[in-house]
Amino acid sequence: MTGAPLQDAPPEEEQVEERIMIHANALLIGAAGVLLRGPSGSGKSGLCLELIHLAEGRGFFARLIGDDRIALVRRHGRLLARPHPAIAGAIEERGRGVLPAEFEPAGVLRCLVDLWGPGDEAPPRYPPEGGAEAKLCGVTLPRLAADAREAGAARKILSFIHQFEAF
């Protein structure tokens, strides 16, 4: 036998390349992590709850990662989402307050949904060239622009997410 035995190999270092905290929601549908971002009042929390309910109703695993503040960490070319520790396991439902919620401590993001705010124009009918992707922490994610107030928004978004997860 030639060469150094495996136990003498240097330990593989886990490199955290970039870490930021953003105003967004994150959830898992199957194994696909989804980031919902948008201004205050754009419906992130309500849409998150609706997507979880819709996905579970179709027999899919669906769970909150975090509400309102999400830590993004680029690690080994993937983007991980984690809840802010002070509010992990809670989600605000407008008109009801902050409610406890089952959550996952982390998820690998597979896509991004940008939500329009109450004062914004509606998203364009077709994505602008180059608008179907967004780069966060150096990781490019498929992107959908949506209006949470639009009829069928959750169904349309779930269909978008479905592309990134083998249900």
Side-chain angles (χ1 to χ4, degrees):
M1 182 171 166
T2 61
L6 287 177
Q7 66 262 25
D8 292 338
E12 195 174 312
E13 288 186 30
E14 184 166 314
Q15 294 184 10
V16 175
E17 301 168 23
E18 188 173 346
R19 179 185 308 251
I20 62 171
M21 184 70 68
I22 67 168
H23 180 75
N25 279 35
L27 68 152
L28 283 172
I29 304 280
V34 181
L35 188 68
L36 302 175
R37 70 179 181 178
S40 183
S42 62
K44 294 179 298 296
S45 298
L47 183 60
C48 192
L49 290 167
E50 190 174 351
L51 284 167
I52 290 169
H53 180 73
L54 182 60
E56 287 176 339
R58 294 182 180 186
F60 304 139
F61 174 83
R63 190 75 39 90
L64 175 73
I65 294 173
D67 180 50
D68 196 42
R69 290 183 285 166
I70 301 297
L72 299 179
V73 180
R74 182 176 71 169
R75 187 170 283 143
H76 303 292
R78 300 184 312 165
L79 194 57
L80 301 175
R82 298 183 189 281
H84 188 284
I87 54 177
I91 189 166
E92 181 182 358
E93 188 169 13
R94 201 168 287 275
R96 292 189 63 205
V98 178
L99 305 172
E102 290 186 72
F103 76 103
E104 291 295 315
V108 176
L109 294 178
R110 303 281 186 224
C111 61
L112 162 69
V113 178
D114 273 327
L115 299 175
W116 261 237
D120 296 333
E121 290 182 29
R125 185 172 182 174
Y126 298 103
E129 192 171 321
E133 293 181 334
K135 191 174 270 196
L136 292 169
C137 298
V139 177
T140 301
L141 294 174
R143 175 186 174 269
L144 175 70
D147 185 339
R149 300 170 309 263
E150 179 183 293
R155 180 200 46 77
K156 178 172 83 173
I157 293 167
L158 188 60
S159 176
F160 171 71
I161 297 164
H162 187 72
Q163 300 173 66
F164 310 105
E165 175 55 34
F167 291 100

